[in-house]
């Protein structure tokens, strides 16, 4: 797995979270999903846009909160921001949050599928040596 630079993650999340996600109580229809637009620079270059969805889940004393995004027809990327905890996770207010591999951090995953799923490349902040703020 490749490392994604901090600058890319910060720009991606801020563009998405504060500018592109719409509120939806049902995920039954594609037009009820939120949307995302952002620019990627670094190992991957380009303007991206697609759909966005949010969910929170609790199972076996583990709580999970996630925003998932991707484009479609054809799919060229997917991006997730997630947090897991044994404590309840509340929806975050606008602000600054830590991303990386620590227990209180949000994790970020960007998968470039521009060349197809078999040749996809994943960038993530699962490792403590990567991270920053969003």
């Amino acid at each position: 797995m490749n490392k994604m630079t901090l600058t890319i993650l910060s720009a991606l999340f801020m563009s998405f979270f504060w500018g592109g996600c719409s509120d939806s109580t049902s995920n039954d229809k594609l037009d009820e999903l939120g949307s995302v637009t952002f620019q990627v620079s670094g190992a991957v270059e380009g303007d991206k846009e697609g759909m966005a969805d949010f969910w929170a889940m609790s199972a076996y004393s583990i709580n999970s909160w996630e925003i998932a995004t991707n484009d479609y027809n054809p799919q060229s990327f997917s991006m997730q921001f997630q947090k897991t905890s044994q404590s309840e996770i509340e929806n975050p207010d606008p602000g600054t949050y830590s991303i990386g591999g620590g227990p209180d951090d949000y994790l970020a995953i960007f998968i470039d599928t521009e060349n197809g799923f078999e040749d996809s490349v994943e960038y993530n902040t699962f490792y403590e040596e990567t991270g920053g703020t969003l």
Side-chain angles (χ1 to χ4, degrees), residues 12-134:
L12 292 176
F13 185 82
M14 288 174 27
S15 173
F16 166 72
F17 189 74
W18 286 286
C21 188
S22 65
D23 187 21
S24 176
T25 57
S26 170
N27 295 331
D28 295 337
K29 298 178 185 171
L30 186 60
D31 61 354
E32 292 179 359
L33 294 172
S35 62
V36 62
T37 59
F38 58 92
Q39 185 178 53
V40 179
S41 62
V44 177
E45 297 281 340
D47 295 325
K48 304 289 185 180
E49 65 180 83
M51 59 186 166
D53 196 11
F54 157 82
W55 64 85
M57 182 175 72
S58 179
Y60 305 105
S61 300
I62 301 293
N63 298 288
S64 178
W65 184 94
E66 181 172 323
I67 295 174
T69 71
N70 66 278
D71 61 349
Y72 45 89
N73 199 21
Q75 184 174 342
S76 66
F77 78 90
S78 69
M79 179 174 56
Q80 293 86 29
F81 296 98
Q82 62 182 224
K83 187 170 191 172
T84 57
S85 175
Q86 291 183 332
S87 302
E88 185 175 331
I89 303 171
E90 295 187 23
N91 291 344
D93 291 323
T96 302
Y97 296 91
S98 177
I99 56 174
D104 295 325
D105 294 341
Y106 283 82
L107 299 174
I109 305 165
F110 180 86
I111 302 174
D112 177 22
T113 56
E114 190 74 38
N115 295 321
F117 290 101
E118 290 181 8
D119 294 323
S120 65
V121 179
E122 179 178 311
Y123 304 89
N124 66 61
T125 62
F126 288 140
Y127 307 102
E128 289 188 33
E129 68 267 10
T130 63
T133 59
L134 50 90

